[in-house]
Coordinates of all heavy atoms in Angstrom, one line a residue:
P1 N 0.8 -1.2 0.0 CA 0.0 0.0 0.0 C 0.9 1.3 0.0 O 2.0 1.2 0.4 CB -0.8 -0.1 1.3 CG -0.6 -1.5 1.8 CD 0.6 -2.1 1.1
K2 N 0.2 2.4 -0.4 CA 1.0 3.6 -0.5 C 1.5 4.1 0.9 O 2.6 4.5 1.0 CB 0.1 4.7 -1.1 CG -0.2 4.5 -2.5 CD -1.1 5.6 -3.1 CE -2.6 5.4 -2.6 NZ -3.4 6.4 -3.2
G3 N 0.6 4.1 1.9 CA 1.0 4.7 3.2 C 1.3 3.7 4.2 O 1.0 2.5 4.0
K4 N 1.9 4.1 5.3 CA 2.3 3.2 6.3 C 1.1 2.9 7.2 O 1.2 2.0 8.0 CB 3.5 3.7 7.1 CG 3.2 5.0 7.8 CD 4.4 5.5 8.5 CE 4.1 6.8 9.1 NZ 5.2 7.4 9.8
D5 N 0.0 3.6 7.1 CA -1.1 3.5 7.9 C -2.2 2.7 7.2 O -3.4 2.9 7.4 CB -1.7 4.8 8.4 CG -0.6 5.5 9.3 OD1 0.0 4.7 10.1 OD2 -0.7 6.7 9.4
S6 N -1.9 1.8 6.2 CA -2.8 1.0 5.5 C -2.3 -0.4 5.2 O -1.1 -0.6 5.2 CB -3.3 1.7 4.3 OG -2.2 1.9 3.4
I7 N -3.2 -1.3 5.0 CA -2.8 -2.7 4.6 C -3.6 -3.0 3.3 O -4.6 -2.4 3.0 CB -3.1 -3.7 5.7 CG1 -4.6 -3.6 6.1 CG2 -2.3 -3.4 6.9 CD1 -5.0 -4.8 7.0
S8 N -3.1 -4.0 2.5 CA -3.8 -4.5 1.4 C -4.8 -5.6 1.9 O -4.5 -6.3 2.8 CB -2.8 -5.2 0.4 OG -1.9 -4.2 -0.1
V9 N -6.0 -5.6 1.2 CA -6.9 -6.6 1.6 C -7.3 -7.5 0.3 O -7.5 -6.9 -0.8 CB -8.2 -5.9 2.0 CG1 -9.3 -6.8 2.3 CG2 -8.0 -4.9 3.2
S10 N -7.4 -8.7 0.5 CA -7.7 -9.6 -0.6 C -8.9 -10.6 -0.1 O -8.9 -10.9 1.1 CB -6.5 -10.5 -1.1 OG -5.6 -9.7 -1.5
L11 N -9.7 -11.0 -1.1 CA -10.8 -11.9 -0.8 C -10.7 -13.1 -1.8 O -10.2 -12.9 -2.9 CB -12.1 -11.3 -0.8 CG -12.4 -10.3 0.2 CD1 -13.7 -9.6 -0.1 CD2 -12.5 -10.9 1.6
Y12 N -11.2 -14.3 -1.4 CA -11.0 -15.5 -2.2 C -12.3 -15.7 -3.0 O -13.4 -15.5 -2.5 CB -10.8 -16.7 -1.3 CG -10.4 -17.9 -2.0 CD1 -9.2 -18.0 -2.6 CD2 -11.2 -19.1 -2.0 CE1 -8.8 -19.1 -3.4 CE2 -10.8 -20.2 -2.7 CZ -9.6 -20.3 -3.3 OH -9.2 -21.3 -4.0
D13 N -12.2 -15.9 -4.3 CA -13.3 -16.1 -5.2 C -13.6 -17.5 -5.6 O -14.4 -17.9 -6.4 CB -13.1 -15.3 -6.5 CG -12.2 -15.9 -7.5 OD1 -11.5 -16.9 -7.2 OD2 -12.1 -15.4 -8.6
G14 N -13.0 -18.5 -4.9 CA -13.2 -19.9 -5.1 C -12.0 -20.6 -5.8 O -11.8 -21.8 -5.8
S15 N -11.3 -19.7 -6.6 CA -10.1 -20.3 -7.3 C -8.8 -19.5 -7.1 O -7.7 -19.9 -7.2 CB -10.4 -20.3 -8.8 OG -10.7 -19.1 -9.3
K16 N -9.0 -18.1 -6.8 CA -7.8 -17.3 -6.5 C -8.1 -16.1 -5.6 O -9.3 -15.8 -5.3 CB -7.3 -16.7 -7.9 CG -8.3 -15.9 -8.6 CD -7.7 -15.6 -10.0 CE -8.8 -14.8 -10.8 NZ -10.0 -15.3 -11.0
W17 N -7.1 -15.5 -5.1 CA -7.3 -14.3 -4.2 C -7.4 -13.1 -5.0 O -6.6 -12.8 -6.0 CB -6.1 -14.2 -3.3 CG -6.1 -15.3 -2.2 CD1 -5.5 -16.5 -2.3 CD2 -6.8 -15.3 -1.0 NE1 -5.7 -17.2 -1.2 CE2 -6.6 -16.6 -0.4 CE3 -7.7 -14.4 -0.4 CZ2 -7.2 -16.9 0.8 CZ3 -8.2 -14.7 0.9 CH2 -8.0 -15.9 1.5
I18 N -8.3 -12.3 -4.8 CA -8.7 -11.0 -5.5 C -8.3 -9.8 -4.7 O -8.8 -9.8 -3.5 CB -10.1 -11.0 -5.9 CG1 -10.5 -12.2 -6.7 CG2 -10.4 -9.6 -6.7 CD1 -9.9 -12.4 -8.1
D19 N -7.5 -9.0 -5.1 CA -7.2 -7.7 -4.4 C -8.4 -6.8 -4.4 O -8.9 -6.5 -5.5 CB -6.0 -7.0 -5.1 CG -5.7 -5.6 -4.4 OD1 -5.9 -5.5 -3.2 OD2 -5.2 -4.7 -5.2
V20 N -8.9 -6.4 -3.2 CA -10.1 -5.5 -3.2 C -9.8 -4.1 -2.7 O -10.7 -3.4 -2.5 CB -11.3 -6.2 -2.4 CG1 -11.8 -7.4 -3.1 CG2 -10.8 -6.5 -1.0
G21 N -8.5 -3.9 -2.5 CA -8.1 -2.5 -2.1 C -7.3 -2.5 -0.8 O -6.7 -3.5 -0.4
T22 N -7.2 -1.3 -0.3 CA -6.5 -1.1 1.0 C -7.5 -0.7 2.1 O -8.6 -0.4 1.9 CB -5.4 0.1 0.8 OG1 -6.1 1.3 0.4 CG2 -4.4 -0.3 -0.2
C23 N -6.9 -0.8 3.3 CA -7.7 -0.6 4.5 C -6.9 0.3 5.4 O -5.7 -0.1 5.7 CB -8.0 -2.0 5.1 SG -8.7 -2.0 6.7
S24 N -7.5 1.3 6.0 CA -6.8 2.1 7.0 C -6.6 1.4 8.3 O -7.6 0.7 8.8 CB -7.7 3.4 7.3 OG -7.1 4.1 8.4
V25 N -5.5 1.6 8.9 CA -5.2 0.9 10.2 C -4.8 2.0 11.2 O -4.1 1.7 12.2 CB -4.0 -0.2 10.1 CG1 -4.6 -1.4 9.3 CG2 -2.8 0.3 9.5
I26 N -5.1 3.2 11.0 CA -4.8 4.3 11.8 C -5.3 4.1 13.2 O -6.5 3.7 13.5 CB -5.3 5.7 11.4 CG1 -4.7 6.0 9.9 CG2 -5.1 6.7 12.4 CD1 -5.3 7.2 9.3
G27 N -4.4 4.1 14.2 CA -4.7 3.9 15.6 C -5.0 2.4 16.0 O -5.4 2.1 17.1
K28 N -4.7 1.5 15.0 CA -4.8 0.1 15.4 C -3.5 -0.7 15.2 O -2.5 -0.2 14.6 CB -5.8 -0.6 14.3 CG -7.1 0.0 14.2 CD -8.0 -0.5 15.3 CE -9.4 0.0 15.0 NZ -10.4 -0.5 15.9
T29 N -3.4 -1.9 15.8 CA -2.2 -2.6 15.7 C -2.2 -3.2 14.2 O -3.2 -3.8 13.8 CB -2.2 -3.8 16.7 OG1 -2.3 -3.3 18.0 CG2 -1.0 -4.7 16.6
V30 N -1.1 -3.1 13.6 CA -1.0 -3.6 12.2 C -0.9 -5.2 12.2 O -0.1 -5.7 12.9 CB 0.3 -3.1 11.5 CG1 0.4 -3.6 10.1 CG2 0.2 -1.5 11.4
P31 N -1.9 -5.8 11.6 CA -1.8 -7.2 11.6 C -0.7 -7.8 10.8 O -0.1 -7.2 9.9 CB -3.2 -7.6 10.9 CG -3.6 -6.4 10.1 CD -2.9 -5.2 10.8
A32 N -0.4 -9.1 11.1 CA 0.7 -9.8 10.4 C 0.2 -10.1 8.9 O -1.0 -10.2 8.7 CB 0.9 -11.2 11.1
V33 N 1.2 -10.3 8.1 CA 0.8 -10.7 6.7 C 0.1 -12.0 6.7 O 0.3 -12.9 7.5 CB 2.2 -10.8 5.9 CG1 1.9 -11.3 4.5 CG2 2.9 -9.5 5.8
H34 N -1.0 -12.1 5.9 CA -1.8 -13.2 5.8 C -2.8 -13.4 7.0 O -3.5 -14.5 7.1 CB -1.1 -14.5 5.5 CG -0.3 -14.5 4.3 ND1 -0.8 -14.3 3.0 CD2 1.1 -14.5 4.1 CE1 0.2 -14.3 2.1 NE2 1.3 -14.4 2.8
A35 N -2.9 -12.4 7.8 CA -3.8 -12.5 9.0 C -5.3 -12.3 8.4 O -5.5 -11.7 7.5 CB -3.5 -11.4 10.0
V36 N -6.2 -13.0 9.1 CA -7.6 -12.8 8.9 C -8.1 -11.6 9.6 O -7.9 -11.6 10.9 CB -8.4 -14.1 9.1 CG1 -9.9 -13.9 9.0 CG2 -7.9 -15.3 8.3
V37 N -8.7 -10.6 9.0 CA -9.1 -9.4 9.7 C -10.5 -9.1 9.4 O -11.1 -9.6 8.4 CB -8.2 -8.2 9.4 CG1 -6.7 -8.4 9.7 CG2 -8.3 -7.9 7.8
E38 N -11.2 -8.3 10.2 CA -12.5 -7.8 10.0 C -12.3 -6.4 9.4 O -11.6 -5.6 10.0 CB -13.3 -7.8 11.3 CG -14.7 -7.3 11.1 CD -15.5 -7.4 12.4 OE1 -15.2 -8.3 13.2 OE2 -16.3 -6.6 12.6
V39 N -13.0 -6.1 8.3 CA -12.9 -4.8 7.7 C -14.2 -4.2 7.6 O -15.2 -4.8 7.2 CB -12.3 -4.9 6.3 CG1 -12.2 -3.6 5.6 CG2 -10.9 -5.5 6.4
H40 N -14.4 -2.9 8.0 CA -15.6 -2.1 7.9 C -15.4 -1.2 6.7 O -14.3 -0.7 6.5 CB -15.8 -1.3 9.1 CG -16.0 -2.1 10.4 ND1 -17.1 -2.8 10.7 CD2 -15.0 -2.5 11.3 CE1 -16.9 -3.4 11.9 NE2 -15.7 -3.3 12.2
Y41 N -16.4 -1.1 5.9 CA -16.3 -0.3 4.6 C -17.7 0.3 4.3 O -18.7 -0.2 4.7 CB -15.7 -1.1 3.5 CG -16.5 -2.2 3.1 CD1 -17.4 -2.2 2.0 CD2 -16.3 -3.4 3.8 CE1 -18.1 -3.3 1.7 CE2 -17.0 -4.6 3.4 CZ -17.9 -4.6 2.4 OH -18.7 -5.7 2.0
L42 N -17.7 1.4 3.5 CA -19.0 2.1 3.2 C -19.7 1.2 2.2 O -20.9 0.9 2.3 CB -18.6 3.5 2.6 CG -19.8 4.4 2.3 CD1 -20.6 4.6 3.6 CD2 -19.4 5.7 1.8
Y43 N -19.0 0.8 1.1 CA -19.6 -0.1 0.2 C -18.5 -0.7 -0.7 O -17.4 -0.2 -0.7 CB -20.7 0.6 -0.7 CG -20.2 1.8 -1.5 CD1 -19.7 1.6 -2.8 CD2 -20.3 3.0 -1.0 CE1 -19.2 2.6 -3.6 CE2 -19.8 4.1 -1.7 CZ -19.3 3.9 -3.0 OH -18.9 4.9 -3.7
A44 N -18.8 -1.6 -1.6 CA -17.9 -2.1 -2.6 C -18.3 -1.6 -4.0 O -19.5 -1.5 -4.3 CB -17.8 -3.6 -2.6
S45 N -17.4 -1.2 -4.8 CA -17.7 -0.7 -6.1 C -18.0 -1.9 -7.0 O -17.7 -3.0 -6.7 CB -16.5 0.2 -6.7 OG -15.5 -0.7 -7.0
A46 N -18.5 -1.5 -8.2 CA -18.8 -2.6 -9.2 C -17.5 -3.3 -9.7 O -17.6 -4.5 -10.1 CB -19.5 -2.0 -10.4
A47 N -16.4 -2.6 -9.5 CA -15.1 -3.2 -9.8 C -14.5 -4.0 -8.7 O -13.3 -4.4 -8.7 CB -14.1 -2.1 -10.2
R48 N -15.3 -4.3 -7.7 CA -14.9 -5.1 -6.5 C -13.8 -4.4 -5.7 O -12.8 -5.1 -5.3 CB -14.5 -6.6 -6.9 CG -15.7 -7.3 -7.5 CD -15.5 -8.8 -7.7 NE -14.3 -9.1 -8.4 CZ -14.1 -10.4 -8.8 NH1 -15.0 -11.3 -8.5 NH2 -13.1 -10.6 -9.6
R49 N -14.0 -3.2 -5.4 CA -13.0 -2.4 -4.6 C -13.7 -1.7 -3.4 O -14.9 -1.3 -3.6 CB -12.4 -1.2 -5.5 CG -11.8 -1.6 -6.8 CD -10.6 -2.5 -6.6 NE -9.5 -1.6 -6.1 CZ -8.3 -2.2 -5.9 NH1 -8.0 -3.4 -6.0 NH2 -7.3 -1.4 -5.4
L50 N -13.1 -1.8 -2.3 CA -13.6 -1.3 -1.1 C -13.6 0.2 -1.1 O -12.6 0.8 -1.5 CB -12.9 -1.9 0.1 CG -12.9 -3.4 0.3 CD1 -12.1 -3.8 1.6 CD2 -14.3 -4.0 0.4
V51 N -14.6 0.8 -0.6 CA -14.6 2.3 -0.4 C -14.6 2.6 1.0 O -15.5 2.1 1.8 CB -15.9 2.8 -1.2 CG1 -16.0 4.4 -1.0 CG2 -15.8 2.5 -2.7
Q52 N -13.7 3.5 1.5 CA -13.5 4.0 2.8 C -13.4 2.8 3.8 O -14.2 2.8 4.8 CB -14.7 4.9 3.2 CG -14.8 6.2 2.4 CD -15.8 7.2 2.9 OE1 -16.3 7.0 4.0 NE2 -16.1 8.1 2.1
A53 N -12.5 2.0 3.5 CA -12.3 0.8 4.4 C -11.4 1.1 5.6 O -10.5 1.8 5.5 CB -11.7 -0.4 3.5
R54 N -11.8 0.5 6.7 CA -11.0 0.7 7.9 C -10.9 -0.7 8.6 O -11.9 -1.4 8.6 CB -11.5 1.8 8.7 CG -12.9 1.6 9.2 CD -13.5 2.9 9.7 NE -14.8 2.7 10.3 CZ -15.9 2.3 9.5 NH1 -15.8 2.1 8.3 NH2 -17.0 2.1 10.2
L55 N -9.8 -0.9 9.4 CA -9.7 -2.1 10.1 C -10.6 -2.2 11.3 O -10.6 -1.3 12.2 CB -8.2 -2.3 10.6 CG -7.9 -3.5 11.4 CD1 -8.1 -4.8 10.4 CD2 -6.5 -3.4 11.9
G56 N -11.4 -3.3 11.4 CA -12.2 -3.5 12.6 C -11.5 -4.2 13.7 O -11.7 -4.0 14.8
G57 N -10.6 -5.1 13.2 CA -9.9 -5.9 14.1 C -9.2 -7.2 13.6 O -9.7 -7.6 12.4
I58 N -8.4 -7.8 14.3 CA -7.8 -9.0 13.9 C -8.7 -10.2 14.3 O -9.1 -10.2 15.5 CB -6.4 -9.3 14.4 CG1 -5.5 -8.1 13.9 CG2 -5.8 -10.5 14.0 CD1 -4.2 -7.9 14.6
R59 N -9.0 -11.1 13.5 CA -9.9 -12.3 13.7 C -9.1 -13.5 14.1 O -8.7 -14.2 13.3 CB -10.8 -12.6 12.6 CG -11.8 -11.5 12.3 CD -12.9 -11.4 13.3 NE -13.5 -12.6 13.6 CZ -14.7 -13.0 13.2 NH1 -15.3 -12.2 12.3 NH2 -15.2 -14.1 13.6
E60 N -8.8 -13.7 15.4 CA -8.1 -14.8 15.8 C -8.8 -16.1 15.6 O -8.2 -17.2 15.4 CB -7.7 -14.7 17.4 CG -7.0 -13.5 17.8 CD -5.5 -13.5 17.2 OE1 -5.1 -14.6 16.7 OE2 -5.0 -12.3 17.1
D61 N -10.1 -16.1 15.5 CA -11.0 -17.2 15.2 C -11.3 -17.5 13.7 O -11.9 -18.4 13.4 CB -12.3 -17.1 16.0 CG -13.1 -15.9 15.5 OD1 -12.5 -15.0 15.0 OD2 -14.3 -15.9 15.7
G62 N -10.7 -16.6 12.9 CA -11.0 -16.6 11.5 C -10.2 -17.6 10.8 O -9.1 -18.0 11.2
Q63 N -10.8 -18.1 9.6 CA -10.1 -19.1 8.8 C -10.1 -18.4 7.3 O -10.9 -17.6 7.0 CB -10.8 -20.4 8.7 CG -10.9 -21.1 10.1 CD -9.6 -21.5 10.6 OE1 -8.7 -22.0 9.9 NE2 -9.4 -21.3 12.0
F64 N -9.0 -18.9 6.5 CA -9.0 -18.3 5.1 C -10.3 -18.7 4.5 O -10.8 -18.0 3.5 CB -7.9 -18.9 4.4 CG -6.5 -18.4 4.8 CD1 -5.5 -19.2 5.2 CD2 -6.4 -17.0 4.9 CE1 -4.3 -18.7 5.5 CE2 -5.1 -16.5 5.3 CZ -4.1 -17.3 5.6
E65 N -11.0 -19.7 4.7 CA -12.3 -20.1 4.1 C -13.4 -19.1 4.5 O -14.4 -19.0 3.7 CB -12.8 -21.5 4.6 CG -11.8 -22.7 4.2 CD -10.6 -22.8 5.2 OE1 -10.7 -22.3 6.3 OE2 -9.6 -23.4 4.8
D66 N -13.2 -18.2 5.4 CA -14.2 -17.2 5.8 C -13.9 -16.0 4.9 O -14.8 -15.0 5.0 CB -14.0 -16.8 7.3 CG -14.3 -17.9 8.2 OD1 -15.0 -18.8 7.8 OD2 -13.5 -17.9 9.3
C67 N -12.9 -15.9 4.1 CA -12.6 -14.6 3.4 C -13.1 -14.7 2.0 O -12.3 -14.6 1.0 CB -11.1 -14.5 3.4 SG -10.4 -14.4 5.0
L68 N -14.4 -14.8 1.8 CA -14.9 -15.0 0.5 C -15.4 -13.7 -0.1 O -16.0 -12.9 0.5 CB -16.1 -16.0 0.5 CG -15.8 -17.4 1.0 CD1 -17.0 -18.2 1.1 CD2 -14.7 -18.0 0.1
I69 N -15.2 -13.5 -1.5 CA -15.6 -12.4 -2.2 C -17.1 -12.1 -2.1 O -17.6 -11.0 -2.3 CB -15.1 -12.3 -3.6 CG1 -15.1 -11.0 -4.2 CG2 -15.8 -13.4 -4.5 CD1 -13.7 -10.4 -4.5
E70 N -17.9 -13.2 -2.0 CA -19.4 -13.1 -2.0 C -19.8 -12.3 -0.8 O -21.0 -11.9 -0.7 CB -20.0 -14.5 -1.9 CG -19.9 -15.3 -3.1 CD -18.6 -16.1 -3.2 OE1 -17.8 -16.2 -2.2 OE2 -18.2 -16.5 -4.3
Q71 N -19.0 -12.0 0.2 CA -19.4 -11.2 1.3 C -19.5 -9.7 1.0 O -20.1 -8.9 1.8 CB -18.3 -11.3 2.4 CG -18.2 -12.7 3.0 CD -17.1 -12.7 4.0 OE1 -17.3 -12.2 5.2 NE2 -16.0 -13.3 3.8
L72 N -19.0 -9.3 -0.1 CA -19.0 -7.9 -0.4 C -20.4 -7.3 -0.5 O -21.3 -8.0 -1.1 CB -18.3 -7.5 -1.7 CG -16.7 -7.7 -1.6 CD1 -16.1 -7.4 -3.0 CD2 -16.1 -6.8 -0.5
V73 N -20.6 -6.1 0.1 CA -21.9 -5.4 -0.1 C -21.6 -4.3 -1.0 O -20.8 -3.4 -0.8 CB -22.4 -4.9 1.3 CG1 -23.7 -4.1 1.1 CG2 -22.6 -6.0 2.2
Y74 N -22.3 -4.3 -2.2 CA -22.2 -3.4 -3.3 C -23.1 -2.2 -3.1 O -24.1 -2.2 -2.4 CB -22.4 -4.0 -4.6 CG -21.4 -5.2 -4.9 CD1 -21.6 -6.4 -4.6 CD2 -20.2 -4.8 -5.5 CE1 -20.7 -7.4 -4.8 CE2 -19.2 -5.8 -5.7 CZ -19.5 -7.0 -5.4 OH -18.6 -8.1 -5.6
K75 N -22.6 -1.1 -3.7 CA -23.4 0.2 -3.7 C -24.7 0.0 -4.3 O -24.7 -0.6 -5.5 CB -22.6 1.3 -4.4 CG -23.3 2.7 -4.3 CD -22.4 3.7 -4.9 CE -23.1 5.1 -4.9 NZ -22.3 6.1 -5.4
Q76 N -25.7 0.4 -3.7 CA -27.1 0.3 -4.4 C -27.3 1.5 -5.3 O -26.9 2.6 -5.0 CB -28.2 0.5 -3.3 CG -28.1 -0.6 -2.2 CD -28.5 -2.0 -2.9 OE1 -29.5 -2.1 -3.6 NE2 -27.8 -3.0 -2.5
T77 N -27.7 1.2 -6.5 CA -27.9 2.2 -7.5 C -29.4 2.6 -7.6 O -30.2 1.7 -7.4 CB -27.4 1.8 -8.9 OG1 -28.1 0.6 -9.2 CG2 -25.9 1.6 -8.9
V78 N -29.7 3.9 -7.7 CA -31.1 4.3 -7.8 C -31.4 4.5 -9.3 O -30.6 5.2 -10.0 CB -31.2 5.7 -7.1 CG1 -32.6 6.2 -7.2 CG2 -30.8 5.5 -5.6
P79 N -32.4 3.9 -9.7 CA -32.8 4.1 -11.2 C -33.1 5.5 -11.5 O -33.7 6.2 -10.7 CB -34.0 3.2 -11.3 CG -34.4 2.7 -10.0 CD -33.4 3.1 -9.0
E80 N -32.7 6.0 -12.6 CA -33.0 7.3 -13.1 C -34.5 7.5 -13.4 O -35.1 6.6 -13.9 CB -32.1 7.7 -14.3 CG -30.7 7.8 -14.0 CD -29.9 8.2 -15.2 OE1 -30.5 9.0 -16.0 OE2 -28.7 7.8 -15.3
T81 N -35.0 8.6 -13.0 CA -36.4 8.9 -13.3 C -36.5 9.9 -14.4 O -35.6 10.8 -14.5 CB -37.2 9.3 -12.1 OG1 -36.5 10.5 -11.6 CG2 -37.3 8.3 -11.1
L82 N -37.4 9.9 -15.2 CA -37.6 10.9 -16.4 C -38.2 12.2 -15.9 O -39.0 12.3 -15.0 CB -38.4 10.3 -17.5 CG -37.7 9.0 -18.1 CD1 -38.7 8.4 -19.2 CD2 -36.4 9.4 -18.7

């Protein structure tokens, strides 16, 4: 990541790990590489990128199998009205 106060976040799509962006760790303990973490974010873009992501905490009880891309919550679009 660009800054020292952020980490890279990836999720598993069933066959490979997908980079979904970076996550702020300001004021938090920086997790170890490959740690399972909880990330809070505003929404995910259509390009599967996290928006305004921040570290919620390190998941000691988490497994890599819990890190699925299907968990992403995408931005709701409002249909245009005439």
Side-chain angles (χ1 to χ4, degrees):
K2 292 184 284 185
K4 62 183 178 184
D5 292 333
S6 64
I7 58 172
S8 293
V9 180
S10 297
L11 293 171
Y12 193 63
D13 75 351
S15 63
K16 63 187 176 300
W17 290 94
I18 305 293
D19 175 32
V20 294
T22 59
C23 170
S24 170
V25 293
I26 294 172
K28 303 277 187 173
T29 300
V30 176
V33 174
H34 302 295
V36 176
V37 297
E38 181 174 332
V39 176
H40 302 278
Y41 58 98
L42 190 58
Y43 62 87
S45 71
R48 301 193 298 190
R49 304 295 289 176
L50 301 179
V51 175
Q52 295 185 18
R54 62 200 184 286
L55 181 66
I58 299 169
R59 295 292 307 263
E60 301 295 340
D61 61 337
Q63 302 293 320
F64 288 129
E65 297 82 19
D66 300 329
C67 304
L68 300 176
I69 198 115
E70 290 86 16
Q71 297 179 73
L72 289 180
V73 177
Y74 295 91
K75 181 177 183 179
Q76 298 292 319
T77 57
V78 178
E80 291 185 34
T81 57
L82 299 175

